Amino acid sequence: GENVEQHPSTLSVQEGDSAVIKCTYSDSASNYFPWYKQELGKRPQLIIDIRSNVGEKKDQRIAVTLNKTAKHFSLHITETQPEDSAVYFCAAPSAAGNKLTFGGGTRVLVKP
Amino acid sequence: GAVVSQHPSRVICKSGTSVKIECRSLDFQATTMFWYRQFPKQSLMLMATSNEGSKATYEQGVEKDKFLINHASLTLSTLTVTSAHPEDSSFYICSAFRTGGVDTEAFFGQGTRLTVV
């Protein structure tokens, strides 16, 4: 099955700096890579996603890059703000396309 | 956007009792729903896939007789934790894909924090 690894597990940045989270996946047939943000005690929410036919996607301060050859994708948050503090999860679908596998999560702390 | 509603949001039960958690898709039909368990400071771990009108598919290591799943309609899946023990205390969360495909946005319920005492 799909194996998704995420690094780092924790990330502390100063407000205004950038944050980068990286994920690798094992199934080369995967074609959809979402990123979710989860605040404490709440449900995960989709913040950005990318499909395998593009290498980069940007939405304001958030961007995702995908390298299919290397089987890794990254989340970039620029000009971080305290409200960006949360846990971020990457995910990838299984080869059979019947379920989503999540990375281990990255706890991001933006210090004012 | 699509809404998935989960109840209850929080429950405390005594060891040995059973707890039922409901997951509803409010504005779309979901032939498949997913149940996850999340321990503190850990990721979402898929427990089982709930299939409308048929048996659920359980992930390796998940006891199907302990975690009973029923998906009786296109908008409702239930997870029953039977004979709960303190180690079952966790955050349980369901999800569904509006279009049915895992290559689209997954919508999550609010989650249920279960505490077994």
Side-chain angles (χ1 to χ4, degrees), chain B residues 69-111:
Chain B
I69 290 174
N70 184 279
H71 196 149
S73 77
L74 288 170
T75 58
L76 174 64
S77 174
T78 61
L79 168 68
T80 300
V81 183
T82 64
S83 187
H85 290 106
E87 55 264 34
D88 297 325
S89 298
S90 187
F91 190 60
Y92 292 85
I93 191 164
C94 65
S95 79
F97 296 92
R98 188 172 196 170
T99 61
V102 297
D103 59 347
T104 59
E105 181 177 358
F107 292 92
F108 290 87
Q110 302 96 316

Side-chain angles (χ1 to χ4, degrees), chain B residues 41-86:
Chain B
K41 298 186 178 181
Q42 293 189 23
S43 186
L44 290 85
M45 298 303 295
L46 182 65
M47 298 175 65
T49 302
S50 174
N51 303 298
E52 187 269 335
S54 64
K55 292 182 179 180
T57 305
Y58 290 82
E59 295 299 301
Q60 191 173 7
V62 178
E63 299 174 59
K64 61 180 181 181
D65 294 331
K66 179 170 181 62
F67 299 99
L68 301 179
I69 290 174
N70 184 279
H71 196 149
S73 77
L74 288 170
T75 58
L76 174 64
S77 174
T78 61
L79 168 68
T80 300
V81 183
T82 64
S83 187
H85 290 106

Side-chain angles (χ1 to χ4, degrees), chain A residues 6 31-32 34 36 38 40-46 49 51 87 89-90 93-94 96-105 107, chain B residues 3-5 32 34 36 38 40-44 46 49 59 91 93 97 100-111 113:
Chain A
Q6 183 173 344
N31 59 2
Y32 173 70
Y36 288 86
Q38 185 181 30
L40 188 63
K42 296 188 177 180
R43 73 184 94 190
Q45 293 197 319
L46 181 73
D49 56 16
R51 298 187 182 280
V87 180
F89 293 98
C90 62
S94 63
N98 58 353
K99 57 186 176 183
L100 207 56
T101 299
F102 285 84
R107 188 171 300 274
Chain B
V3 178
V4 174
S5 180
T32 303
F34 302 86
Y36 294 87
Q38 186 177 33
K41 298 186 178 181
Q42 293 189 23
S43 186
L44 290 85
L46 182 65
T49 302
E59 295 299 301
F91 190 60
I93 191 164
F97 296 92
V102 297
D103 59 347
T104 59
E105 181 177 358
F107 292 92
F108 290 87
Q110 302 96 316
R113 184 158 304 283

